[in-house]
Amino acid sequence: MFESLSVPGLGSVVAGTALLGFLCGTLGTFAVLRKQSLMGDAISHACLPGLILAFLFFNSKESWVLMLGAAISGTLAAMVILGISRFSRVKEDSSLAITLSVFFGFGLMLLTWVQRRPDAAQAGLARFLFGQAATLLDRDVWLLAAIAIPCLVIVFLFWKQFQIVCFDRSFAQSLGIPVFFIEVLLSLLLVMVIVAGLETVGVVLMSALLVAPAVAARQWTNKLEIMTILAGVFGAFSGIAGAFLSNIGKTSIPTGPVIVLFITLIVLLSILFAPARGIVWLRFKHWRDSKVLHLDSVLSNLLNLAKEHSGKQNGHSMAMLKGISSNPSGVPRSVHKLLELGLVSEVDKGLYTPTTKGEEYLSEKTSLMGAPLK
Amino acid sequence: MTGPNDKKLEFALEINDLTVSYKDKPVLWDIDLEIPQGALVGIVGPNGAGKTTLIKSILGLLNPVAGSAKILGLEIDQGIKKIAYVPQRGSVDWDFPATVFDVVQMGTYGKLGWLKRPGSKEKKLTKEALEKVGMLELANRQISQLSGGQQQRVFLARALVQHAEIYLMDEPFQGVDSTTEQSIVELLRELRNKGATALVVHHDLQTVKDYFDWVVLLNVRKIAAGPVSEVFTEANLKLAFGSRVSLGE
């Protein structure tokens, strides 16, 4: 891996993909919050025909020429999608699916046709399908930066408008915020980011880099600021990983799939282990709560028994407690824990009764619940 | 309160010939309405009567087929700054990454400059509004952890922060317990006593007389509008809801 560091240009390739990943995560956050994850997917697929047409018209493989073509067809697709769902009774998910397949199908047709041409000029266009970071040139990286930095500045400047439009667009409009303009701006930024990432990630998997970092970041925080930055960081990490791995030993593994695998791993870990929202965390909390509840119920049973039978000194056996517990097998454990905590004492061999401390603990607990437990 | 001879005072809201349709089906038909300033107005009508549509049209959120609305004598795009809007609680995703404070602070964005961020003044306004609805202690709570009544209080605080002259509220009593309902009514009265006007979409016919000074009965067309004592009659209710409704008196 360290050998590959010496390959000329890898430093800038890594910087470029990191920047791209950061940008994708940041803007993907807004797409995800606006429930527009699939919009990114449709736009990126729809970039393919524009890219190839641009190549055919200008007979050039300059990045900015291809990007321009991609941006035009991507924007066109976005407008078609919005138009269909606005002016017809076709629902948005259907219009997304139709537009994506038509544009992408047309793009693939063009690509196949172009590749059959006898001259060698078209060589390498196929890398836009799955991305190839290794082919990034220094000036491509500069172009990436030239797109990324203004986009990030816009996000910073229009932060409050983006936040409020994503949360409650009707309310935003009632405040006099130009919601339509903000939405168009967000969509344009999305197109820009997608176009910037085409060469590195490819049209097919681009949307993963938009959606996945935001999904992962949401697991770890309840603050929009932190979610946005964290999504950027996750995106940047996956970008770097993709650039490295697809460069190792010059195997030319496409970058897109590597990035997607990496970010998916982050998503998986986040869904499982993030505090407060992760599945494992929630299970653990449930388990811990049920232990505490069991402890409380055993203590309360002991107290009730002691009260019913002539005062506190009177102890009761494990068997008795098991008889009235909803989970008898947990009773010995809970009793030992209660002894350990000093909430219960053993008055005679195998006979237990709550201590004063135990009584206080229980009355405090029940007062928190609002009504005393019977 | 505003009398008909008080010519100088503008109406809070003035709606002329308003018709709104969804596809080819009219939702509101030729509505004329003049709401005096300082009134607590209940908007009442059956499901699909166009209550929410009326509110959204006043806010300019919908494009009417015909007609216009004026806010304190101003066109919508200028008058809108005088309005605070409380949308239906279910209209947003409460799993959005934000705290109670964040959401209420959004109410201050309308008066902030384009690139300005909320500062100490906005934070103070936000805290005051939270205090008024009894949510200051929960200011840092994630909004997904709120109960229905608390969500409604947050939306109310977000409107209070605007210190508006007109409040448009879409079903603020939906799914809240009676304690919250009473405290919302108290707040509405307080606003009215300070001279503000409030239009409230309301469903419980039994409480209309207690809560409101004015009522608008709606069922696609305007059935009646005016002071509760004059307009809220069995006959008008039958016109709005059909024959099965009664006041139960």
Side-chain angles (χ1 to χ4, degrees):
Chain A
M1 190 146 165
F2 290 103
E3 283 170 353
S4 65
L5 273 173
S6 61
V7 173
L10 185 61
S12 54
V13 169
V14 168
T17 46
L19 194 60
L20 177 71
F22 189 85
L23 186 63
C24 283
T26 309
L27 277 159
T29 301
F30 297 107
V32 167
L33 290 175
R34 290 171 68 214
K35 319 242 179 318
Q36 291 222 315
S37 305
L38 285 172
M39 186 62 126
D41 202 26
I43 293 175
S44 71
H45 279 78
C47 283
L48 190 61
L51 193 144
I52 308 221
L53 284 174
F55 164 73
L56 286 173
F57 274 125
F58 298 101
N59 205 16
S60 152
K61 278 200 289 186
E62 283 281 339
S63 292
W64 70 268
V65 173
L66 300 182
M67 279 181 178
L68 196 66
I72 291 170
S73 70
T75 311
L76 189 68
M79 277 155 50
V80 169
I81 292 163
L82 293 175
I84 290 178
S85 39
R86 183 154 184 184
F87 297 112
S88 77
R89 296 209 171 193
V90 178
K91 297 281 179 284
E92 188 165 344
D93 60 329
S94 310
S95 76
L96 274 164
I98 296 165
T99 314
L100 184 152
S101 14
V102 168
F103 274 77
F104 187 56
F106 182 51
L108 279 182
M109 203 183 80
L110 286 173
L111 180 64
T112 317
W113 179 70
V114 166
Q115 283 178 319
R116 292 226 181 102
R117 295 206 317 184
D119 60 292
Q122 42 75 21
L125 279 181
R127 72 176 190 272
F128 284 98
L129 280 181
F130 297 111
Q132 190 50 270
T135 60
L136 281 182
L137 302 171
D138 261 355
R139 62 164 187 260
D140 296 333
V141 175
W142 284 114
L143 191 59
L144 243 173
I147 294 176
I149 290 163
C151 286
L152 290 172
V153 169
I154 290 176
V155 171
F156 180 77
L157 289 178
F158 292 110
W159 179 262
K160 74 171 188 274
Q161 284 88 347
F162 287 179
Q163 177 203 32
I164 194 169
V165 167
C166 288
F167 177 61
D168 192 346
R169 66 188 300 283
S170 306
F171 181 74
Q173 208 160 343
S174 82
L175 290 180
I177 286 170
V179 171
F180 181 72
F181 170 76
I182 295 293
E183 285 181 333
V184 168
L185 187 62
L186 272 170
S187 302
L188 279 179
L189 289 178
L190 197 63
V191 171
M192 294 288 282
V193 175
I194 288 169
V195 166
L198 286 184
E199 188 162 14
T200 316
V201 190
V203 298
V204 178
L205 297 170
M206 188 62 214
S207 68
L209 192 55
L210 283 170
V211 176
V215 170
R218 179 68 187 94
Q219 291 292 110
W220 299 94
T221 176
N222 285 325
K223 291 227 134 229
L224 183 60
E225 296 89 333
I226 299 175
M227 178 182 170
T228 310
I229 293 168
L230 201 56
V233 171
F234 287 156
F237 259 120
S238 339
I240 293 168
F244 265 117
L245 291 175
S246 68
N247 271 288
I248 288 178
K250 297 259 172 210
T251 48
S252 301
I253 307 170
T255 317
V258 179
I259 289 181
V260 169
L261 284 180
F262 198 81
I263 188 64
T264 308
L265 188 69
I266 297 179
V267 169
L268 203 65
L269 291 175
S270 305
I271 289 179
L272 285 175
F273 299 110
R277 291 175 79 97
I279 294 171
V280 171
W281 195 91
L282 288 173
R283 278 285 158 86
F284 173 73
K285 185 168 179 294
H286 182 77
W287 174 81
R288 206 180 47 191
D289 288 351
S290 70
K291 284 273 175 274
V292 172
L293 262 170
H294 193 257
L295 219 62
D296 292 355
S297 82
V298 168
L299 184 59
S300 139
N301 283 342
L302 264 178
L303 190 66
N304 287 339
L305 285 169
K307 277 182 182 160
E308 275 166 35
H309 304 136
S310 62
K312 229 172 56 171
Q313 294 310 310
N314 194 348
H316 290 86
S317 69
M318 216 67 104
M320 184 90 171
L321 286 169
K322 281 184 183 174
I324 51 176
S325 173
S326 56
N327 175 17
S329 60
V331 168
R333 264 190 64 121
S334 290
V335 170
H336 286 133
K337 187 78 194 166
L338 287 166
L339 282 169
E340 235 174 76
L341 293 169
L343 301 175
V344 157
S345 64
E346 194 170 6
V347 278
D348 211 338
K349 197 157 174 49
L351 295 178
Y352 306 94
T353 198
T355 59
T356 327
K357 194 176 155 199
E359 254 185 280
E360 279 165 7
Y361 163 85
L362 209 57
S363 67
E364 197 178 311
K365 264 258 160 120
T366 46
S367 72
L368 284 177
M369 290 178 203
L373 276 182
K374 274 273 172 178
Chain B
M1 281 246 290
T2 326
N5 47 358
D6 201 349
K7 286 279 184 221
K8 268 193 205 161
L9 214 56
E10 290 284 357
F11 287 109
L13 292 167
E14 206 180 330
I15 294 164
N16 289 312
D17 307 328
L18 182 73
T19 297
V20 183
S21 75
Y22 178 70
K23 309 284 177 190
D24 48 355
K25 187 173 160 275
V27 188
L28 285 177
W29 188 260
D30 202 17
I31 306 282
D32 284 297
L33 198 58
E34 283 161 348
I35 306 283
Q37 285 190 45
L40 260 182
V41 185
I43 302 176
V44 177
N47 291 329
K51 303 182 293 289
T52 297
T53 307
L54 178 64
I55 284 196
K56 288 193 169 172
S57 309
I58 296 170
L59 289 164
L61 300 179
L62 298 169
N63 289 323
V65 177
S68 62
K70 280 195 169 167
I71 302 159
L72 292 162
L74 301 164
E75 298 299 325
I76 288 178
D77 47 345
Q78 285 155 40
I80 202 166
K81 296 261 177 193
K82 313 249 176 201
I83 294 187
Y85 172 43
V86 180
Q88 286 187 22
R89 187 156 58 78
S91 65
V92 301
D93 176 9
W94 288 92
D95 198 35
F96 192 85
T99 61
V100 166
F101 189 90
D102 293 337
V103 172
V104 174
Q105 188 171 252
M106 287 179 194
T108 66
Y109 288 4
K111 286 177 184 147
L112 270 178
W114 260 85
L115 302 177
K116 261 187 94 182
R117 270 154 212 254
S120 56
K121 182 186 156 207
E122 284 73 25
K123 295 204 178 349
K124 190 168 155 263
L125 285 169
T126 305
K127 276 188 191 149
E128 282 169 9
L130 279 168
E131 176 113 61
K132 262 192 196 142
V133 300
M135 289 284 290
L136 194 55
E137 280 171 31
L138 300 180
N140 289 318
R141 184 167 289 194
Q142 160 68 16
I143 54 171
S144 62
Q145 293 164 358
L146 300 177
S147 70
Q150 290 168 337
Q151 290 175 352
Q152 198 62 61
R153 284 162 190 260
V154 169
F155 266 12
L156 207 62
R158 189 178 64 170
L160 291 177
V161 124
Q162 294 174 249
H163 291 280
E165 288 170 58
I166 301 170
Y167 291 80
L168 300 184
M169 304 191 178
D170 203 346
E171 303 200 22
F173 303 121
Q174 170 87 57
V176 305
D177 61 18
S178 55
T179 326
T180 305
E181 179 158 336
Q182 286 314 315
S183 54
I184 294 176
V185 170
E186 280 309 311
L187 273 168
L188 285 174
R189 288 186 180 138
E190 202 180 303
L191 290 170
R192 189 253 328 261
N193 295 342
K194 284 182 188 160
T197 312
L199 265 75
V200 181
V201 173
H202 191 55
H203 268 299
D204 183 9
L205 296 178
Q206 310 303 324
T207 50
V208 168
K209 281 186 173 170
D210 294 339
Y211 292 176
F212 302 109
D213 325 316
W214 249 62
V215 67
V216 176
L217 282 165
L218 206 64
N219 190 353
V220 184
R221 295 159 197 270
K222 180 183 81 179
I223 306 298
V228 173
S229 55
E230 291 168 24
V231 166
F232 198 64
T233 60
E234 195 103 7
N236 279 336
L237 279 172
K238 283 211 165 83
L239 282 173
F241 286 88
S243 54
R244 283 166 58 205
V245 140
S246 87
L247 281 171
E249 280 168 354

